[in-house]
Amino acid sequence: MTIASRTVLITGTSSGFGEATVRRFAAAGWNVIATLRNPPAAPDFPKNVLVKRLDVQDRSSIEMAIAEGTAQFGSIDVLVNNAGFGLHGFFETTRREKMLQQFEVNVFGLMDVTRAILPQMRAQRHGVILNVTSGAGVFGLPMISLYAASKFAVEGFSEALMHEVAPFGIAVKLTEPGGVRETRFGQRAGAEASGALDIADYAPLQERATAVFAAIADSRSHGTSDEVAEVIVAAATDGSTQLRYVATDGIKPWVEARRKNGEDAYIETMRAAVGLGAL
């Protein structure tokens, strides 16, 4: 199969990682189906990009985008599940409806898109499903408990699904980026937590955790959405069975603490990072 005949469908392409990934695949000669909730607001993509509406909370839009993309290009070889958002705030202070929305978008929406593409990939006996998670799918920090829970869920789902679909020639992969400055994640996450309950007991920890996130933001100049997109495209096209790809250097020390150290050393590292000290 030539590159010109390959097709990728990407969700959440209005900005950030999704937009950059569309441009990377298009520049490499792929047919690209760029999906987002509001197509009239789509960026000015290259001519080999088909823009379609897809809201991960609307299953009919998922099915329509896949059907129209398949009709245009013949088949879909790669799915990049990028759509998602992040809540910022303490679990106890976050209203239940926001908690449900976090999982409806980041977990169940991703699952619905994956379920919709699997029959085609299974029939053609090849395909790649690449799920964009986060460093927050590897380690937990205060004030992103619900976001981390959703990304941990996607990590577990992807690892198990990998085994289920491997007999059909389908690879499942995870790309784990940290934050990058131009995604404005912290600003959007803070907005998503608006209307949260006010519990004074959390104020001291909030001050420390906010300082940690500010320090992370200040260190992001070396990471860009395009660099994350480069990792996404490489992971989707390397032909390997590798599951996880860490996409930004800034989170690598914490990822290594999680995956290479013992539990006690890892917990100590993370508590020190948020200024809590030893248990």
Side-chain angles (χ1 to χ4, degrees), residues 8-190:
V8 57
L9 186 150
I10 307 166
T11 68
T13 63
S14 61
S15 63
F17 303 152
E19 179 186 355
T21 302
V22 168
R23 297 191 187 283
R24 279 268 176 181
F25 270 111
W30 283 61
N31 302 315
V32 182
I33 308 163
T35 71
L36 62 165
R37 288 181 295 174
N38 183 23
D44 184 17
F45 287 131
K47 63 180 181 180
N48 53 329
V49 175
L50 176 68
V51 176
K52 289 295 175 181
R53 178 181 179 271
L54 189 157
D55 182 340
V56 298
Q57 293 182 274
D58 178 357
R59 281 179 287 176
S60 64
S61 77
I62 295 171
E63 293 167 1
M64 183 67 71
I66 291 173
E68 291 178 350
T70 302
Q72 177 79 16
F73 298 122
S75 67
I76 297 171
D77 306 287
V78 174
L79 166 65
V80 177
N81 278 314
N82 171 70
F85 78 98
L87 283 174
H88 191 261
F90 297 107
F91 169 72
E92 189 181 357
T93 68
T94 304
R95 297 185 185 277
R96 188 173 188 274
E97 58 266 27
K98 300 301 292 186
M99 174 185 72
L100 295 176
Q101 183 188 13
Q102 182 75 104
F103 275 77
E104 285 288 347
V105 173
N106 288 11
V107 182
F108 301 126
L110 176 148
M111 289 179 173
D112 282 337
V113 179
T114 301
R115 186 193 299 274
I117 201 70
L118 276 174
Q120 180 182 142
M121 288 187 173
R122 183 164 41 80
Q124 67 197 22
R125 285 303 196 261
H126 76 266
V128 175
I129 297 168
L130 190 147
N131 297 327
V132 180
T133 58
S134 169
V138 182
F139 49 81
L141 291 170
M143 298 186 69
I144 57 167
S145 50
L146 288 166
Y147 179 65
S150 72
K151 293 301 186 179
F152 267 71
V154 173
E155 291 263 335
F157 166 68
S158 301
E159 183 172 332
L161 183 68
M162 172 184 67
H163 302 301
E164 294 179 3
V165 300
F168 313 122
I170 303 169
V172 178
K173 294 167 176 274
L174 289 159
T175 303
E176 300 163 335
V180 297
R181 189 180 302 277
E182 74 268 23
T183 64
R184 304 183 307 280
F185 173 83
Q187 297 172 13
R188 293 202 310 269

Side-chain angles (χ1 to χ4, degrees), residues 229-270:
E230 182 178 10
V231 175
I232 290 172
V233 173
T237 59
D238 67 7
S240 78
T241 58
Q242 180 177 333
L243 174 62
R244 292 182 169 91
Y245 299 75
V246 179
T248 54
D249 290 339
I251 63 169
K252 286 182 179 178
W254 287 356
V255 172
E256 290 178 359
R258 167 79 279 183
R259 292 178 173 156
K260 295 184 179 181
N261 295 346
E263 184 73 4
D264 290 345
Y266 161 69
I267 294 297
E268 182 178 348
T269 296
M270 300 309 293

